[in-house]
């Protein structure tokens, strides 16, 4: 969505956030596709090694698990950008616009809160011991691949930042010109 | 505190706030409101909830299903089902149920099945004068078979959260799925006797073995899929997750080299779509991990469980109340969210009365799926209604006989547990 050209701080900010989000979308989507393709291939390799060569891989299960988690925290935002997350729109559609618009604001504000919480409580907030969560796990490494755990957990920060950006974009868009348009997708179950 | 949290949660969900946001906000708000809880637990529990090898079956089966649909399998299945049962009275109705039963072997989601098969059958049924509400209800209720016959997304989610063998649940779903197929076909057949449904009495052509044999080569891959997936699990070769990986490669080969309808350059889009579908479910599981931890801290399961167990000391009474509770909740709230939040309670009740975990799991999966097709809030009926192009109140008027058929299947499994447990207990040791 491109914000209408006009002067003022908020429209200009909306434009900047929109452009930034455009890059984030492209990088995010590429990463999602790459991660998904990787875990499927590794899953296939694991099956082949176990049944073809009777040799279990020590790292493949862990790589699939962490790959999936990274994918989930990125695709959470990709789903938000597409309006794919399931909710009960039946009642809301029956209500007047005077209710629908504030609910739209609330939803975007809650998304923003979740995004900020994901970033702050993982990488910003210091516990009584004076360490952030990421810092506290940085000396652990994973059992299978020996990866530093703070790298694994940083998906929450990356996803949270992306989510914050997307929510901010929607909120600024609401200020500048009406609620954002999204294409609803099928619910999953 | 507990009551406040649950009221806010319900209010947010009813206002149309996406389920993942509603659960996430309530969990975050609750954790922040209790000073003795470390806020770090919010992201940590989200992470821990999706850190599971069993849950990997979900993206794999979603991807396999997506590849099969893009590959044009659903269209071929519909043609095949018509050659098999099209000559019967209400043939198109029977074909819808049958196509769904076969399609269920590659899909794990009732909404996906409703839209994949329903959207192909609806125009034809309309052309033959079938009523919109009937089409929508039939498409939705026969889509349920997609989530009962393996693979099944709901079973993966429940199995991973409750610590029940997903392979076992898959095998347990086979007979209930076949039972639902039979009961729905019976429902279509009975409609034919009703004076208001003359169109259901019509038949289309005669049964010709030649036609069946002509269309069979085009669907053999769908018929072969369960042999690989279920055969692998039954023989103890694969876990459910590994079966999912195998299903992906199978679907990839079929759609790229047998049907030749998916090309290499289509794959990124298919992967992205499947990733988002996966995350719509796993996102809820992630935030429900944080909420579940908070609810455990507040003794939610003990309180509700204690109340349920206080009603009666007989297992079947408590089980009935639990099922009724799930049924009512899923009629109003998104059914997967209900299942995810109540899983600890279900497990506790199952343990108290030493119920077979697979039996209990199949009952819970069936009841949530019936909830997903029972008005007012019924995802499958929404999909069916939009496919049939009718009004939602028309669908609500016509859906009850079909829902009765699903309830009958649930009742049968409830009173006769071997329907759910015989296959898994025979093959999985």
């Amino acid at each position: 969505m491109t914000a209408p050209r006009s002067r003022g701080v908020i429209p200009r900010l909306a434009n900047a956030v929109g452009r930034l989000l455009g890059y984030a979308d492209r990088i995010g989507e590429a990463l999602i596709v790459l991660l998904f393709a990787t875990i499927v291939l590794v899953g296939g390799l694991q099956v082949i090694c176990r049944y073809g060569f009777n040799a279990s891989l020590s790292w493949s299960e862990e790589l699939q698990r962490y790959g999936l988690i990274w994918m989930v925290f990125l695709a959470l935002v990709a789903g938000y950008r597409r309006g794919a997350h399931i909710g009960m729109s039946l009642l809301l559609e029956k209500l007047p616009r005077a209710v629908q618009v504030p609910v739209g604001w609330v939803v975007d504000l809650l998304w923003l809160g979740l995004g900020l919480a994901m970033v702050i409580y993982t990488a910003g907030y210091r516990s009584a011991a004076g360490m952030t969560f990421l810092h506290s796990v940085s000396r652990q490494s994973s059992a299978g691949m020996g990866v530093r755990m703070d790298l694994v957990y940083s998906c929450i920060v990356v996803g949270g930042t992306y989510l914050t950006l997307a929510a901010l974009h929607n909120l600024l868009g609401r200020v500048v010109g009406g609620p954002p348009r999204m294409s609803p997708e099928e619910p999953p179950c | 505190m507990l009551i406040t949290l649950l009221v806010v949660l319900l209010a947010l969900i009813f206002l149309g706030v996406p389920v993942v946001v509603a659960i996430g906000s309530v969990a975050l708000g609750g954790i922040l409101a209790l000073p003795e809880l470390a806020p770090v637990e919010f992201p940590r529990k989200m992470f821990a909830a999706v850190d599971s090898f069993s849950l990997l079956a979900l993206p794999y089966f979603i991807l396999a299903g997506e590849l099969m649909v893009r590959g044009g399998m659903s269209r071929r299945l519909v043609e095949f089902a018509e050659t098999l049962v099209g000559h019967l009275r209400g043939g198109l109705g029977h074909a819808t149920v049958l196509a769904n039963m076969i399609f269920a072997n590659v899909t794990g989601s009732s909404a996906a099945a409703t839209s994949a098969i329903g959207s192909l059958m609806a125009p034809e049924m309309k052309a033959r004068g079938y009523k919109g509400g009937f089409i929508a209800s039939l498409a939705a209720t026969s889509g349920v078979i997609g989530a009962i016959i393996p693979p099944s997304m709901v079973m993966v989610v429940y199995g991973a959260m409750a610590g029940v063998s997903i392979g076992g649940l898959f095998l347990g779903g086979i007979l209930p799925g076949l039972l639902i197929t039979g009961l729905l076909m019976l429902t279509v057949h009975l409609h034919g006797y009703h004076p208001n449904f003359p169109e259901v009495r019509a038949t289309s052509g005669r049964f010709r073995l030649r036609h069946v044999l002509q269309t069979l080569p085009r669907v053999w891959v769908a018929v072969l899929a369960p042999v690989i997936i279920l055969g692998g699990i039954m023989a103890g070769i694969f876990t459910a997750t590994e079966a999912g990986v195998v299903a992906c490669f199978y679907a990839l080969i079929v759609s790229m080299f047998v049907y030749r309808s998916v090309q290499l350059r289509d794959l990124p889009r298919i992967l992205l779509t499947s990733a988002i579908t996966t995350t719509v479910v796993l996102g809820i599981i992630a935030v429900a991990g944080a909420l579940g931890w908070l609810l455990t801290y507040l003794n939610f399961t003990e309180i509700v469980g204690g109340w349920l167990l206080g009603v009666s000391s007989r297992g079947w009474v408590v089980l009935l109340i639990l099922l009724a509770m799930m049924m009512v909740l899923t009629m109003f709230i998104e059914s997967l969210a209900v299942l995810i939040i109540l899983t600890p309670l279900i497990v506790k009740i199952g343990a108290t009365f030493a119920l077979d975990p697979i039996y209990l799991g199949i009952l819970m999966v069936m009841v949530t799926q019936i909830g997903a097709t029972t008005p007012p809030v019924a995802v499958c009926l929404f999909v069916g209604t939009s496919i049939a192009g009718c009004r939602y109140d028309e669908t609500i008027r016509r859906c009850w006989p079909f829902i009765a058929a699903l309830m009958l299947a649930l009742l049968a499994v409830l009173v006769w547990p071997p329907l759910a447990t015989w296959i898994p207990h025979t093959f999985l040791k």
Side-chain angles (χ1 to χ4, degrees):
Chain A
M1 188 179 74
T2 49
R5 243 184 268 166
S6 60
R7 280 181 214 144
V9 180
I10 291 180
R12 243 183 271 161
L13 187 65
N15 258 334
V17 170
R19 207 166 306 148
L20 210 57
L21 186 62
Y23 295 123
D25 279 340
R26 245 173 284 165
I27 298 169
E29 282 170 18
L31 273 176
I32 292 167
V33 169
L34 201 68
L35 284 164
F36 205 164
T38 308
I39 63 173
V40 175
L41 288 175
V42 170
L45 196 67
Q46 176 181 328
V47 173
I48 290 170
C49 283
R50 175 117 48 124
Y51 304 108
F53 303 100
N54 205 14
S56 296
L57 301 173
S58 59
W59 49 271
S60 62
E61 188 184 315
E62 196 178 274
L63 196 144
Q64 290 175 74
R65 260 171 34 221
Y66 293 159
L68 174 70
I69 296 171
W70 264 86
M71 187 183 98
V72 166
F73 278 94
L74 291 170
L76 186 74
V77 195
Y80 171 41
R81 298 279 292 139
R82 286 168 177 71
H85 288 287
I86 41 176
M88 297 184 2
S89 50
L90 192 71
L91 181 67
L92 190 63
E93 280 164 11
K94 293 239 160 76
L95 294 173
R97 238 187 104 70
V99 182
Q100 286 181 11
V101 172
V103 169
W105 273 94
V106 169
V107 171
D108 283 330
L109 280 170
L110 289 175
W111 274 115
L112 182 69
L114 289 178
L116 286 172
M118 281 159 63
V119 177
I120 292 169
Y121 295 123
T122 311
Y125 175 86
R126 285 170 197 280
S127 67
M131 278 200 287
T132 65
F133 174 58
L134 270 192
H135 193 184
S136 71
V137 292
S138 64
R139 271 180 236 139
Q140 301 168 11
S141 48
S142 69
M145 297 181 290
V147 185
R148 272 173 50 184
M149 283 311 285
D150 55 340
L151 293 179
V152 178
Y153 275 106
S154 56
C155 62
I156 309 175
V157 182
V158 174
T161 311
Y162 183 19
L163 179 55
T164 306
L165 201 62
L168 212 56
H169 173 71
N170 275 4
L171 286 168
L172 287 170
R174 282 179 192 282
V175 176
V176 176
R181 256 169 273 146
M182 290 180 180
S183 56
E185 287 187 14
E186 274 169 30
C189 311
Chain B
M1 179 71 180
L2 193 57
I3 292 170
T4 317
L5 284 182
L6 295 176
V7 168
V8 174
L9 179 64
L10 286 182
L12 287 177
I13 290 179
F14 272 110
L15 268 179
V17 174
V19 175
V20 60
V21 182
I23 295 180
S25 314
V26 169
L28 178 64
I31 291 175
L32 293 181
L34 293 169
E36 67 271 30
L37 298 180
V40 173
E41 294 301 331
F42 178 68
R44 196 212 292 270
K45 295 297 179 224
M46 275 177 79
F47 184 97
V50 281
D51 184 12
S52 142
F53 189 65
S54 308
L55 279 180
L56 271 162
L58 199 65
Y60 293 152
F61 279 119
I62 288 174
L63 177 60
E66 183 76 20
L67 281 166
M68 289 286 194
V69 174
R70 296 283 178 100
M73 168 172 290
S74 38
R75 188 166 38 81
R76 292 173 170 88
L77 275 181
V78 164
E79 284 169 18
F80 177 64
E82 274 199 70
T83 62
L84 275 183
V85 291
H87 64 287
L88 297 174
R89 285 184 159 198
L92 284 177
H94 293 304
T96 307
V97 182
L98 204 63
N100 263 300
M101 186 196 88
I102 311 176
F103 188 65
N105 291 297
V106 295
T107 191
S109 146
S110 47
T114 303
S115 92
I117 302 294
S119 58
L120 294 166
M121 294 302 298
E124 239 180 298
M125 284 199 269
K126 272 195 147 169
R128 305 265 182 89
Y130 281 59
K131 291 171 182 63
F134 177 91
I135 300 172
S137 308
L138 178 64
T141 46
S142 52
V144 164
I145 304 168
I148 306 290
I149 288 184
S152 161
M153 284 168 57
V154 198
M155 288 181 194
V156 174
V157 170
Y158 180 79
M161 295 192 66
V164 181
S165 152
I166 295 169
L169 288 172
F170 276 11
L171 298 183
I174 298 174
L175 290 180
L178 294 177
L179 181 65
I180 293 175
T181 308
L183 286 171
L184 285 176
M185 287 176 83
L186 182 68
T187 313
V188 171
H189 183 76
L190 291 178
H191 270 87
Y193 292 106
H194 197 281
N196 284 354
F197 293 90
E199 69 277 6
V200 181
R201 278 192 287 281
T203 61
S204 52
R206 284 177 40 215
F207 178 77
R208 286 206 176 83
L209 191 61
R210 198 160 47 89
H211 283 173
V212 178
L213 293 178
Q214 271 169 359
T215 47
L216 189 60
R218 283 182 273 174
V219 294
W220 65 270
V221 282
V223 184
L224 200 62
V227 176
I228 298 174
I229 296 170
L230 291 182
I233 296 175
M234 275 187 184
I237 303 175
F238 299 142
T239 62
T241 304
E242 288 169 332
V245 174
V246 174
C248 279
F249 283 98
Y250 181 72
L252 188 69
I253 291 166
V254 167
S255 52
M256 283 183 73
F257 302 111
V258 180
Y259 291 159
R260 293 165 190 273
S261 40
V262 170
Q263 289 169 326
L264 207 57
R265 63 159 188 271
D266 300 328
L267 290 183
R269 189 121 299 270
I270 293 176
L271 283 167
L272 185 64
T273 312
S274 311
I276 291 175
T277 309
T278 303
T279 303
V280 167
V281 179
L282 286 187
I284 297 177
I285 292 186
V287 288
L291 182 66
W293 177 75
L294 179 67
L295 290 181
T296 307
Y297 177 78
L298 295 171
N299 273 330
F300 170 73
T301 303
E302 304 300 318
I303 293 170
V304 181
W307 172 79
L308 263 178
L309 296 174
V311 174
S312 170
S313 56
R314 288 160 202 256
W316 65 270
V317 178
V318 176
L319 186 59
L320 271 182
I321 297 173
L322 181 66
L323 282 173
M325 199 170 91
M326 298 279 294
M327 176 83 73
V328 172
L329 282 173
T330 50
M331 276 168 66
F332 293 96
I333 306 170
E334 214 290 312
S335 55
L336 192 67
V338 174
L339 185 67
I340 290 173
I341 292 175
L342 290 187
T343 294
L345 180 68
I346 298 165
V347 171
K348 180 188 160 72
I349 287 173
T352 309
F353 295 108
L355 294 173
D356 185 301
I358 290 177
Y359 168 65
L360 187 61
I362 295 292
L363 284 178
M364 290 305 145
V365 168
M366 287 179 83
V367 81
T368 47
Q369 287 307 309
I370 296 175
T373 44
T374 310
V377 179
V379 173
C380 291
L381 282 186
F382 296 161
V383 177
T385 305
S386 86
I387 288 166
C390 61
R391 292 211 324 273
Y392 189 48
D393 47 321
E394 278 177 67
T395 307
I396 292 181
R397 221 172 82 208
R398 303 280 179 216
C399 70
W400 302 109
F402 296 100
I403 291 172
L406 296 181
M407 298 283 279
L408 205 59
L410 177 69
L411 197 67
V413 177
L414 184 68
V415 298
W416 202 43
L419 273 176
T421 57
W422 182 71
I423 294 183
H425 287 325
T426 307
F427 289 95
L428 286 182
K429 288 289 176 199

